[in-house]
Amino acid sequence: MIFLQRIEPLSSTYTYLLGCEETGKAVLIDPVVNRVEHDLGELRGLNLELAYAIDTHIHADHITAALELKRLVGCRIAGPAMDRLPCVDVGLEEGRPLRVGSLCIDPMHTPGHTDSHFCYALADRVFTGDCLLIDGCGRTDFQNGDSRALYHSVTQKLFTLHDDVLVYPGHDYQNRRVSTIAQEKLRNPRLGQNRSLDSFVDLMAQLHLPYPKFIDHAVPGNRACGVCPPDLPEHLEAYCGQMTQSQQG
Ligand SMILES: [Fe+2]
């Protein structure tokens, strides 16, 4: 398998490129709209054809590149079926793997950060989106977030994977790139060391995080699979890169 992990620095989002060496087909997990040209350049350099752009959830902190990638290279857009987004070509459901050449991607419904959040397991690794982060987890105070659901998603789904499974998160704000299930069980300050459900719910209720600065633009844009809003304030324009002009034009 061909594998690349790339960071989008504005939102500290990790995008993952997975490629099948036999068929030359590839997928991008959580691509970001201001990195489209960069991602397509990497695919070209590796002689890979993008089959799917896949999102873990409807993001609130960046705009997905799915629609722009489809427009430019004709890939299909895949994402959680339960979101029922008209722009999604292939709705993903737990128990129904997505096969791309020799890659077999297992969707796992992991609600809590959002109610329709999915993680994707593939061979020896799992892409955990904003459910499980390295030494952390996604916030649960927006988008039908639910700290009880997140606790169950992590402890009853992700933590039942093999200890050596590699954990590739949707973000990291300290440039850490990968963890393992065993490491998160042991070290995660929010969910490790067999923390109890009640203690986790209390902890999440006391975080008092600031209102996400991009959410009011990102969520509607991502419900359309990645449309940059025309009314983006100047200080947020970098989140769309050159896409604001190209989508308007
Ligand atoms: Fe998120």
Side-chain angles (χ1 to χ4, degrees), residues 140-176:
T140 54
D141 50 349
F142 287 102
Q143 298 180 279
N144 299 321
D146 178 341
S147 54
R148 288 176 180 273
L150 190 125
Y151 180 89
H152 292 307
S153 292
V154 172
T155 59
Q156 291 175 21
K157 287 200 173 168
L158 295 174
F159 281 0
T160 62
L161 298 173
H162 192 281
D163 272 357
D164 292 329
V165 166
L166 299 167
V167 171
Y168 283 101
H171 299 281
D172 194 86
Y173 305 98
Q174 296 170 50
N175 299 310
R176 294 164 297 191

PDB file of all heavy atoms in Angstrom, residues 140-176:
ATOM      1  N   THR A 140     -17.335  17.719  22.145  1.00  0.00           N
ATOM      2  CA  THR A 140     -18.654  17.079  22.030  1.00  0.00           C
ATOM      3  C   THR A 140     -19.780  18.083  22.257  1.00  0.00           C
ATOM      4  O   THR A 140     -20.909  17.707  22.557  1.00  0.00           O
ATOM      5  CB  THR A 140     -18.779  15.929  23.060  1.00  0.00           C
ATOM      6  OG1 THR A 140     -18.491  16.443  24.367  1.00  0.00           O
ATOM      7  CG2 THR A 140     -17.818  14.804  22.747  1.00  0.00           C
ATOM      8  N   ASP A 141     -19.463  19.379  22.078  1.00  0.00           N
ATOM      9  CA  ASP A 141     -20.450  20.401  22.428  1.00  0.00           C
ATOM     10  C   ASP A 141     -21.122  21.056  21.225  1.00  0.00           C
ATOM     11  O   ASP A 141     -21.810  22.061  21.375  1.00  0.00           O
ATOM     12  CB  ASP A 141     -19.803  21.464  23.338  1.00  0.00           C
ATOM     13  CG  ASP A 141     -18.490  22.004  22.793  1.00  0.00           C
ATOM     14  OD1 ASP A 141     -17.954  21.425  21.825  1.00  0.00           O
ATOM     15  OD2 ASP A 141     -17.987  22.998  23.341  1.00  0.00           O
ATOM     16  N   PHE A 142     -20.927  20.504  20.016  1.00  0.00           N
ATOM     17  CA  PHE A 142     -21.609  21.031  18.827  1.00  0.00           C
ATOM     18  C   PHE A 142     -22.057  19.868  17.953  1.00  0.00           C
ATOM     19  O   PHE A 142     -21.632  18.736  18.164  1.00  0.00           O
ATOM     20  CB  PHE A 142     -20.675  21.931  18.006  1.00  0.00           C
ATOM     21  CG  PHE A 142     -20.429  23.258  18.659  1.00  0.00           C
ATOM     22  CD1 PHE A 142     -19.255  23.501  19.342  1.00  0.00           C
ATOM     23  CD2 PHE A 142     -21.397  24.248  18.612  1.00  0.00           C
ATOM     24  CE1 PHE A 142     -19.032  24.720  19.958  1.00  0.00           C
ATOM     25  CE2 PHE A 142     -21.183  25.470  19.228  1.00  0.00           C
ATOM     26  CZ  PHE A 142     -20.003  25.708  19.900  1.00  0.00           C
ATOM     27  N   GLN A 143     -22.894  20.162  16.966  1.00  0.00           N
ATOM     28  CA  GLN A 143     -23.248  19.190  15.918  1.00  0.00           C
ATOM     29  C   GLN A 143     -23.789  17.884  16.519  1.00  0.00           C
ATOM     30  O   GLN A 143     -23.377  16.800  16.140  1.00  0.00           O
ATOM     31  CB  GLN A 143     -22.030  18.885  15.040  1.00  0.00           C
ATOM     32  CG  GLN A 143     -21.486  20.100  14.282  1.00  0.00           C
ATOM     33  CD  GLN A 143     -20.282  19.702  13.453  1.00  0.00           C
ATOM     34  OE1 GLN A 143     -19.169  19.598  13.982  1.00  0.00           O
ATOM     35  NE2 GLN A 143     -20.499  19.479  12.180  1.00  0.00           N
ATOM     36  N   ASN A 144     -24.717  18.008  17.449  1.00  0.00           N
ATOM     37  CA  ASN A 144     -25.281  16.840  18.138  1.00  0.00           C
ATOM     38  C   ASN A 144     -24.208  16.000  18.830  1.00  0.00           C
ATOM     39  O   ASN A 144     -24.330  14.785  18.929  1.00  0.00           O
ATOM     40  CB  ASN A 144     -26.081  15.951  17.180  1.00  0.00           C
ATOM     41  CG  ASN A 144     -27.255  16.706  16.584  1.00  0.00           C
ATOM     42  OD1 ASN A 144     -27.911  17.482  17.281  1.00  0.00           O
ATOM     43  ND2 ASN A 144     -27.510  16.518  15.304  1.00  0.00           N
ATOM     44  N   GLY A 145     -23.160  16.657  19.255  1.00  0.00           N
ATOM     45  CA  GLY A 145     -22.129  15.970  20.019  1.00  0.00           C
ATOM     46  C   GLY A 145     -22.707  15.428  21.321  1.00  0.00           C
ATOM     47  O   GLY A 145     -23.701  15.934  21.835  1.00  0.00           O
ATOM     48  N   ASP A 146     -22.069  14.376  21.830  1.00  0.00           N
ATOM     49  CA  ASP A 146     -22.601  13.696  23.007  1.00  0.00           C
ATOM     50  C   ASP A 146     -21.432  12.966  23.667  1.00  0.00           C
ATOM     51  O   ASP A 146     -20.889  12.015  23.095  1.00  0.00           O
ATOM     52  CB  ASP A 146     -23.684  12.711  22.543  1.00  0.00           C
ATOM     53  CG  ASP A 146     -24.286  11.915  23.680  1.00  0.00           C
ATOM     54  OD1 ASP A 146     -23.667  11.829  24.764  1.00  0.00           O
ATOM     55  OD2 ASP A 146     -25.369  11.357  23.459  1.00  0.00           O
ATOM     56  N   SER A 147     -21.044  13.444  24.847  1.00  0.00           N
ATOM     57  CA  SER A 147     -19.856  12.860  25.469  1.00  0.00           C
ATOM     58  C   SER A 147     -20.073  11.387  25.857  1.00  0.00           C
ATOM     59  O   SER A 147     -19.143  10.581  25.797  1.00  0.00           O
ATOM     60  CB  SER A 147     -19.418  13.685  26.685  1.00  0.00           C
ATOM     61  OG  SER A 147     -20.486  13.850  27.576  1.00  0.00           O
ATOM     62  N   ARG A 148     -21.303  11.020  26.214  1.00  0.00           N
ATOM     63  CA  ARG A 148     -21.563   9.599  26.528  1.00  0.00           C
ATOM     64  C   ARG A 148     -21.355   8.730  25.292  1.00  0.00           C
ATOM     65  O   ARG A 148     -20.751   7.659  25.354  1.00  0.00           O
ATOM     66  CB  ARG A 148     -23.003   9.408  27.027  1.00  0.00           C
ATOM     67  CG  ARG A 148     -23.203   9.961  28.395  1.00  0.00           C
ATOM     68  CD  ARG A 148     -24.644   9.877  28.875  1.00  0.00           C
ATOM     69  NE  ARG A 148     -24.661  10.452  30.197  1.00  0.00           N
ATOM     70  CZ  ARG A 148     -24.408   9.772  31.321  1.00  0.00           C
ATOM     71  NH1 ARG A 148     -24.205   8.477  31.265  1.00  0.00           N
ATOM     72  NH2 ARG A 148     -24.382  10.370  32.480  1.00  0.00           N
ATOM     73  N   ALA A 149     -21.862   9.226  24.173  1.00  0.00           N
ATOM     74  CA  ALA A 149     -21.702   8.454  22.932  1.00  0.00           C
ATOM     75  C   ALA A 149     -20.226   8.360  22.560  1.00  0.00           C
ATOM     76  O   ALA A 149     -19.751   7.303  22.126  1.00  0.00           O
ATOM     77  CB  ALA A 149     -22.490   9.122  21.802  1.00  0.00           C
ATOM     78  N   LEU A 150     -19.484   9.443  22.730  1.00  0.00           N
ATOM     79  CA  LEU A 150     -18.063   9.401  22.386  1.00  0.00           C
ATOM     80  C   LEU A 150     -17.326   8.388  23.272  1.00  0.00           C
ATOM     81  O   LEU A 150     -16.488   7.612  22.793  1.00  0.00           O
ATOM     82  CB  LEU A 150     -17.421  10.776  22.507  1.00  0.00           C
ATOM     83  CG  LEU A 150     -16.002  10.760  21.913  1.00  0.00           C
ATOM     84  CD1 LEU A 150     -15.829  11.825  20.844  1.00  0.00           C
ATOM     85  CD2 LEU A 150     -14.944  10.935  22.965  1.00  0.00           C
ATOM     86  N   TYR A 151     -17.666   8.379  24.547  1.00  0.00           N
ATOM     87  CA  TYR A 151     -17.040   7.411  25.469  1.00  0.00           C
ATOM     88  C   TYR A 151     -17.271   5.984  24.977  1.00  0.00           C
ATOM     89  O   TYR A 151     -16.340   5.171  24.930  1.00  0.00           O
ATOM     90  CB  TYR A 151     -17.639   7.607  26.865  1.00  0.00           C
ATOM     91  CG  TYR A 151     -17.067   6.675  27.906  1.00  0.00           C
ATOM     92  CD1 TYR A 151     -15.936   7.032  28.635  1.00  0.00           C
ATOM     93  CD2 TYR A 151     -17.653   5.443  28.176  1.00  0.00           C
ATOM     94  CE1 TYR A 151     -15.405   6.192  29.597  1.00  0.00           C
ATOM     95  CE2 TYR A 151     -17.134   4.589  29.133  1.00  0.00           C
ATOM     96  CZ  TYR A 151     -16.017   4.965  29.850  1.00  0.00           C
ATOM     97  OH  TYR A 151     -15.487   4.122  30.798  1.00  0.00           O
ATOM     98  N   HIS A 152     -18.505   5.700  24.579  1.00  0.00           N
ATOM     99  CA  HIS A 152     -18.804   4.336  24.124  1.00  0.00           C
ATOM    100  C   HIS A 152     -18.118   4.034  22.798  1.00  0.00           C
ATOM    101  O   HIS A 152     -17.647   2.909  22.583  1.00  0.00           O
ATOM    102  CB  HIS A 152     -20.322   4.139  24.016  1.00  0.00           C
ATOM    103  CG  HIS A 152     -21.002   4.144  25.356  1.00  0.00           C
ATOM    104  ND1 HIS A 152     -20.600   3.327  26.392  1.00  0.00           N
ATOM    105  CD2 HIS A 152     -22.030   4.876  25.845  1.00  0.00           C
ATOM    106  CE1 HIS A 152     -21.357   3.558  27.459  1.00  0.00           C
ATOM    107  NE2 HIS A 152     -22.229   4.499  27.149  1.00  0.00           N
ATOM    108  N   SER A 153     -18.055   5.032  21.920  1.00  0.00           N
ATOM    109  CA  SER A 153     -17.371   4.807  20.634  1.00  0.00           C
ATOM    110  C   SER A 153     -15.903   4.435  20.860  1.00  0.00           C
ATOM    111  O   SER A 153     -15.376   3.534  20.213  1.00  0.00           O
ATOM    112  CB  SER A 153     -17.432   6.072  19.767  1.00  0.00           C
ATOM    113  OG  SER A 153     -18.759   6.315  19.358  1.00  0.00           O
ATOM    114  N   VAL A 154     -15.271   5.134  21.778  1.00  0.00           N
ATOM    115  CA  VAL A 154     -13.846   4.871  22.015  1.00  0.00           C
ATOM    116  C   VAL A 154     -13.664   3.574  22.794  1.00  0.00           C
ATOM    117  O   VAL A 154     -12.896   2.697  22.387  1.00  0.00           O
ATOM    118  CB  VAL A 154     -13.180   6.054  22.753  1.00  0.00           C
ATOM    119  CG1 VAL A 154     -11.760   5.691  23.181  1.00  0.00           C
ATOM    120  CG2 VAL A 154     -13.169   7.291  21.853  1.00  0.00           C
ATOM    121  N   THR A 155     -14.383   3.433  23.901  1.00  0.00           N
ATOM    122  CA  THR A 155     -14.087   2.280  24.764  1.00  0.00           C
ATOM    123  C   THR A 155     -14.648   0.968  24.215  1.00  0.00           C
ATOM    124  O   THR A 155     -14.072  -0.092  24.427  1.00  0.00           O
ATOM    125  CB  THR A 155     -14.618   2.504  26.194  1.00  0.00           C
ATOM    126  OG1 THR A 155     -16.036   2.722  26.122  1.00  0.00           O
ATOM    127  CG2 THR A 155     -13.946   3.707  26.843  1.00  0.00           C
ATOM    128  N   GLN A 156     -15.783   1.049  23.506  1.00  0.00           N
ATOM    129  CA  GLN A 156     -16.395  -0.207  23.040  1.00  0.00           C
ATOM    130  C   GLN A 156     -16.092  -0.526  21.585  1.00  0.00           C
ATOM    131  O   GLN A 156     -16.333  -1.643  21.143  1.00  0.00           O
ATOM    132  CB  GLN A 156     -17.910  -0.161  23.260  1.00  0.00           C
ATOM    133  CG  GLN A 156     -18.239  -0.211  24.750  1.00  0.00           C
ATOM    134  CD  GLN A 156     -19.720  -0.039  25.031  1.00  0.00           C
ATOM    135  OE1 GLN A 156     -20.559  -0.264  24.167  1.00  0.00           O
ATOM    136  NE2 GLN A 156     -20.039   0.361  26.247  1.00  0.00           N
ATOM    137  N   LYS A 157     -15.612   0.451  20.846  1.00  0.00           N
ATOM    138  CA  LYS A 157     -15.252   0.148  19.451  1.00  0.00           C
ATOM    139  C   LYS A 157     -13.740   0.260  19.238  1.00  0.00           C
ATOM    140  O   LYS A 157     -13.080  -0.714  18.963  1.00  0.00           O
ATOM    141  CB  LYS A 157     -16.006   1.063  18.494  1.00  0.00           C
ATOM    142  CG  LYS A 157     -17.474   0.674  18.402  1.00  0.00           C
ATOM    143  CD  LYS A 157     -18.146   1.192  17.172  1.00  0.00           C
ATOM    144  CE  LYS A 157     -19.546   0.615  17.085  1.00  0.00           C
ATOM    145  NZ  LYS A 157     -20.355   1.289  16.076  1.00  0.00           N
ATOM    146  N   LEU A 158     -13.201   1.470  19.368  1.00  0.00           N
ATOM    147  CA  LEU A 158     -11.779   1.634  19.040  1.00  0.00           C
ATOM    148  C   LEU A 158     -10.884   0.844  19.996  1.00  0.00           C
ATOM    149  O   LEU A 158      -9.933   0.193  19.569  1.00  0.00           O
ATOM    150  CB  LEU A 158     -11.406   3.123  19.058  1.00  0.00           C
ATOM    151  CG  LEU A 158     -12.109   3.963  17.978  1.00  0.00           C
ATOM    152  CD1 LEU A 158     -11.801   5.438  18.155  1.00  0.00           C
ATOM    153  CD2 LEU A 158     -11.715   3.494  16.583  1.00  0.00           C
ATOM    154  N   PHE A 159     -11.197   0.865  21.269  1.00  0.00           N
ATOM    155  CA  PHE A 159     -10.331   0.168  22.231  1.00  0.00           C
ATOM    156  C   PHE A 159     -10.497  -1.354  22.184  1.00  0.00           C
ATOM    157  O   PHE A 159      -9.780  -2.070  22.887  1.00  0.00           O
ATOM    158  CB  PHE A 159     -10.567   0.689  23.651  1.00  0.00           C
ATOM    159  CG  PHE A 159      -9.882   2.017  23.944  1.00  0.00           C
ATOM    160  CD1 PHE A 159      -9.128   2.667  22.978  1.00  0.00           C
ATOM    161  CD2 PHE A 159      -9.991   2.605  25.200  1.00  0.00           C
ATOM    162  CE1 PHE A 159      -8.503   3.885  23.239  1.00  0.00           C
ATOM    163  CE2 PHE A 159      -9.364   3.827  25.483  1.00  0.00           C
ATOM    164  CZ  PHE A 159      -8.625   4.462  24.497  1.00  0.00           C
ATOM    165  N   THR A 160     -11.416  -1.854  21.365  1.00  0.00           N
ATOM    166  CA  THR A 160     -11.492  -3.314  21.194  1.00  0.00           C
ATOM    167  C   THR A 160     -10.657  -3.764  19.988  1.00  0.00           C
ATOM    168  O   THR A 160     -10.525  -4.951  19.740  1.00  0.00           O
ATOM    169  CB  THR A 160     -12.948  -3.796  21.007  1.00  0.00           C
ATOM    170  OG1 THR A 160     -13.478  -3.211  19.817  1.00  0.00           O
ATOM    171  CG2 THR A 160     -13.814  -3.404  22.188  1.00  0.00           C
ATOM    172  N   LEU A 161     -10.115  -2.805  19.228  1.00  0.00           N
ATOM    173  CA  LEU A 161      -9.171  -3.179  18.164  1.00  0.00           C
ATOM    174  C   LEU A 161      -7.884  -3.693  18.815  1.00  0.00           C
ATOM    175  O   LEU A 161      -7.624  -3.450  20.002  1.00  0.00           O
ATOM    176  CB  LEU A 161      -8.852  -1.962  17.280  1.00  0.00           C
ATOM    177  CG  LEU A 161     -10.044  -1.355  16.523  1.00  0.00           C
ATOM    178  CD1 LEU A 161      -9.625  -0.060  15.825  1.00  0.00           C
ATOM    179  CD2 LEU A 161     -10.609  -2.351  15.520  1.00  0.00           C
ATOM    180  N   HIS A 162      -7.072  -4.373  18.030  1.00  0.00           N
ATOM    181  CA  HIS A 162      -5.819  -4.926  18.558  1.00  0.00           C
ATOM    182  C   HIS A 162      -4.937  -3.794  19.097  1.00  0.00           C
ATOM    183  O   HIS A 162      -4.907  -2.696  18.526  1.00  0.00           O
ATOM    184  CB  HIS A 162      -5.089  -5.670  17.432  1.00  0.00           C
ATOM    185  CG  HIS A 162      -3.960  -6.508  17.925  1.00  0.00           C
ATOM    186  ND1 HIS A 162      -2.733  -5.979  18.251  1.00  0.00           N
ATOM    187  CD2 HIS A 162      -3.881  -7.838  18.176  1.00  0.00           C
ATOM    188  CE1 HIS A 162      -1.926  -6.941  18.676  1.00  0.00           C
ATOM    189  NE2 HIS A 162      -2.606  -8.093  18.637  1.00  0.00           N
ATOM    190  N   ASP A 163      -4.241  -4.078  20.181  1.00  0.00           N
ATOM    191  CA  ASP A 163      -3.388  -3.065  20.815  1.00  0.00           C
ATOM    192  C   ASP A 163      -2.387  -2.431  19.854  1.00  0.00           C
ATOM    193  O   ASP A 163      -2.003  -1.276  20.030  1.00  0.00           O
ATOM    194  CB  ASP A 163      -2.592  -3.697  21.969  1.00  0.00           C
ATOM    195  CG  ASP A 163      -3.369  -3.659  23.275  1.00  0.00           C
ATOM    196  OD1 ASP A 163      -4.486  -3.098  23.301  1.00  0.00           O
ATOM    197  OD2 ASP A 163      -2.852  -4.207  24.268  1.00  0.00           O
ATOM    198  N   ASP A 164      -1.931  -3.196  18.874  1.00  0.00           N
ATOM    199  CA  ASP A 164      -0.883  -2.690  17.983  1.00  0.00           C
ATOM    200  C   ASP A 164      -1.420  -1.927  16.778  1.00  0.00           C
ATOM    201  O   ASP A 164      -0.637  -1.478  15.931  1.00  0.00           O
ATOM    202  CB  ASP A 164       0.005  -3.840  17.499  1.00  0.00           C
ATOM    203  CG  ASP A 164       0.816  -4.422  18.643  1.00  0.00           C
ATOM    204  OD1 ASP A 164       1.159  -3.655  19.562  1.00  0.00           O
ATOM    205  OD2 ASP A 164       1.082  -5.633  18.630  1.00  0.00           O
ATOM    206  N   VAL A 165      -2.737  -1.801  16.678  1.00  0.00           N
ATOM    207  CA  VAL A 165      -3.307  -1.035  15.562  1.00  0.00           C
ATOM    208  C   VAL A 165      -2.840   0.420  15.678  1.00  0.00           C
ATOM    209  O   VAL A 165      -2.861   1.013  16.760  1.00  0.00           O
ATOM    210  CB  VAL A 165      -4.852  -1.130  15.558  1.00  0.00           C
ATOM    211  CG1 VAL A 165      -5.474  -0.079  14.637  1.00  0.00           C
ATOM    212  CG2 VAL A 165      -5.286  -2.532  15.130  1.00  0.00           C
ATOM    213  N   LEU A 166      -2.404   0.961  14.548  1.00  0.00           N
ATOM    214  CA  LEU A 166      -1.914   2.340  14.520  1.00  0.00           C
ATOM    215  C   LEU A 166      -3.093   3.303  14.491  1.00  0.00           C
ATOM    216  O   LEU A 166      -4.050   3.098  13.740  1.00  0.00           O
ATOM    217  CB  LEU A 166      -1.041   2.557  13.277  1.00  0.00           C
ATOM    218  CG  LEU A 166       0.199   1.664  13.205  1.00  0.00           C
ATOM    219  CD1 LEU A 166       0.810   1.720  11.806  1.00  0.00           C
ATOM    220  CD2 LEU A 166       1.219   2.094  14.250  1.00  0.00           C
ATOM    221  N   VAL A 167      -3.003   4.342  15.305  1.00  0.00           N
ATOM    222  CA  VAL A 167      -4.062   5.351  15.386  1.00  0.00           C
ATOM    223  C   VAL A 167      -3.603   6.601  14.639  1.00  0.00           C
ATOM    224  O   VAL A 167      -2.636   7.262  15.049  1.00  0.00           O
ATOM    225  CB  VAL A 167      -4.376   5.688  16.865  1.00  0.00           C
ATOM    226  CG1 VAL A 167      -5.314   6.892  16.964  1.00  0.00           C
ATOM    227  CG2 VAL A 167      -4.973   4.470  17.573  1.00  0.00           C
ATOM    228  N   TYR A 168      -4.286   6.895  13.540  1.00  0.00           N
ATOM    229  CA  TYR A 168      -3.996   8.107  12.774  1.00  0.00           C
ATOM    230  C   TYR A 168      -5.155   9.088  12.976  1.00  0.00           C
ATOM    231  O   TYR A 168      -6.257   8.867  12.492  1.00  0.00           O
ATOM    232  CB  TYR A 168      -3.819   7.779  11.291  1.00  0.00           C
ATOM    233  CG  TYR A 168      -2.484   7.153  10.984  1.00  0.00           C
ATOM    234  CD1 TYR A 168      -2.354   5.780  10.807  1.00  0.00           C
ATOM    235  CD2 TYR A 168      -1.349   7.950  10.894  1.00  0.00           C
ATOM    236  CE1 TYR A 168      -1.122   5.211  10.529  1.00  0.00           C
ATOM    237  CE2 TYR A 168      -0.106   7.389  10.622  1.00  0.00           C
ATOM    238  CZ  TYR A 168      -0.004   6.023  10.441  1.00  0.00           C
ATOM    239  OH  TYR A 168       1.232   5.469  10.168  1.00  0.00           O
ATOM    240  N   PRO A 169      -4.908  10.172  13.692  1.00  0.00           N
ATOM    241  CA  PRO A 169      -5.999  11.087  14.061  1.00  0.00           C
ATOM    242  C   PRO A 169      -6.329  12.084  12.946  1.00  0.00           C
ATOM    243  O   PRO A 169      -5.552  12.267  12.001  1.00  0.00           O
ATOM    244  CB  PRO A 169      -5.397  11.827  15.266  1.00  0.00           C
ATOM    245  CG  PRO A 169      -3.930  11.903  14.952  1.00  0.00           C
ATOM    246  CD  PRO A 169      -3.604  10.608  14.234  1.00  0.00           C
ATOM    247  N   GLY A 170      -7.463  12.744  13.089  1.00  0.00           N
ATOM    248  CA  GLY A 170      -7.881  13.776  12.142  1.00  0.00           C
ATOM    249  C   GLY A 170      -7.150  15.090  12.339  1.00  0.00           C
ATOM    250  O   GLY A 170      -7.111  15.920  11.424  1.00  0.00           O
ATOM    251  N   HIS A 171      -6.626  15.272  13.526  1.00  0.00           N
ATOM    252  CA  HIS A 171      -5.879  16.502  13.831  1.00  0.00           C
ATOM    253  C   HIS A 171      -4.781  16.171  14.831  1.00  0.00           C
ATOM    254  O   HIS A 171      -4.901  15.209  15.607  1.00  0.00           O
ATOM    255  CB  HIS A 171      -6.757  17.548  14.559  1.00  0.00           C
ATOM    256  CG  HIS A 171      -7.940  18.000  13.798  1.00  0.00           C
ATOM    257  ND1 HIS A 171      -7.879  18.931  12.791  1.00  0.00           N
ATOM    258  CD2 HIS A 171      -9.243  17.672  13.921  1.00  0.00           C
ATOM    259  CE1 HIS A 171      -9.088  19.157  12.315  1.00  0.00           C
ATOM    260  NE2 HIS A 171      -9.937  18.396  12.980  1.00  0.00           N
ATOM    261  N   ASP A 172      -3.786  17.039  14.836  1.00  0.00           N
ATOM    262  CA  ASP A 172      -2.934  17.121  16.022  1.00  0.00           C
ATOM    263  C   ASP A 172      -2.371  18.526  16.060  1.00  0.00           C
ATOM    264  O   ASP A 172      -1.921  19.050  15.044  1.00  0.00           O
ATOM    265  CB  ASP A 172      -1.807  16.087  16.032  1.00  0.00           C
ATOM    266  CG  ASP A 172      -1.192  16.002  17.414  1.00  0.00           C
ATOM    267  OD1 ASP A 172      -1.709  15.242  18.253  1.00  0.00           O
ATOM    268  OD2 ASP A 172      -0.225  16.756  17.694  1.00  0.00           O
ATOM    269  N   TYR A 173      -2.418  19.126  17.206  1.00  0.00           N
ATOM    270  CA  TYR A 173      -2.027  20.529  17.337  1.00  0.00           C
ATOM    271  C   TYR A 173      -0.590  20.658  17.847  1.00  0.00           C
ATOM    272  O   TYR A 173      -0.114  21.751  18.074  1.00  0.00           O
ATOM    273  CB  TYR A 173      -3.032  21.259  18.244  1.00  0.00           C
ATOM    274  CG  TYR A 173      -4.446  21.082  17.705  1.00  0.00           C
ATOM    275  CD1 TYR A 173      -5.298  20.107  18.226  1.00  0.00           C
ATOM    276  CD2 TYR A 173      -4.893  21.852  16.627  1.00  0.00           C
ATOM    277  CE1 TYR A 173      -6.571  19.906  17.706  1.00  0.00           C
ATOM    278  CE2 TYR A 173      -6.157  21.661  16.094  1.00  0.00           C
ATOM    279  CZ  TYR A 173      -6.995  20.690  16.642  1.00  0.00           C
ATOM    280  OH  TYR A 173      -8.249  20.483  16.101  1.00  0.00           O
ATOM    281  N   GLN A 174       0.072  19.512  18.035  1.00  0.00           N
ATOM    282  CA  GLN A 174       1.463  19.539  18.505  1.00  0.00           C
ATOM    283  C   GLN A 174       2.373  18.715  17.613  1.00  0.00           C
ATOM    284  O   GLN A 174       3.396  18.197  18.069  1.00  0.00           O
ATOM    285  CB  GLN A 174       1.523  19.021  19.941  1.00  0.00           C
ATOM    286  CG  GLN A 174       0.774  19.902  20.926  1.00  0.00           C
ATOM    287  CD  GLN A 174       0.642  19.238  22.285  1.00  0.00           C
ATOM    288  OE1 GLN A 174       1.628  18.759  22.843  1.00  0.00           O
ATOM    289  NE2 GLN A 174      -0.557  19.179  22.813  1.00  0.00           N
ATOM    290  N   ASN A 175       1.953  18.559  16.351  1.00  0.00           N
ATOM    291  CA  ASN A 175       2.779  17.858  15.356  1.00  0.00           C
ATOM    292  C   ASN A 175       3.073  16.403  15.681  1.00  0.00           C
ATOM    293  O   ASN A 175       4.053  15.853  15.167  1.00  0.00           O
ATOM    294  CB  ASN A 175       4.099  18.617  15.117  1.00  0.00           C
ATOM    295  CG  ASN A 175       3.845  20.009  14.586  1.00  0.00           C
ATOM    296  OD1 ASN A 175       3.088  20.170  13.624  1.00  0.00           O
ATOM    297  ND2 ASN A 175       4.402  21.013  15.224  1.00  0.00           N
ATOM    298  N   ARG A 176       2.245  15.791  16.502  1.00  0.00           N
ATOM    299  CA  ARG A 176       2.383  14.338  16.668  1.00  0.00           C
ATOM    300  C   ARG A 176       1.631  13.685  15.514  1.00  0.00           C
ATOM    301  O   ARG A 176       0.625  14.206  15.054  1.00  0.00           O
ATOM    302  CB  ARG A 176       1.783  13.892  18.014  1.00  0.00           C
ATOM    303  CG  ARG A 176       2.545  14.435  19.202  1.00  0.00           C
ATOM    304  CD  ARG A 176       1.745  14.307  20.472  1.00  0.00           C
ATOM    305  NE  ARG A 176       0.522  15.107  20.374  1.00  0.00           N
ATOM    306  CZ  ARG A 176      -0.289  15.368  21.407  1.00  0.00           C
ATOM    307  NH1 ARG A 176      -0.011  14.889  22.599  1.00  0.00           N
ATOM    308  NH2 ARG A 176      -1.375  16.092  21.237  1.00  0.00           N
TER     309      ARG A 176
END
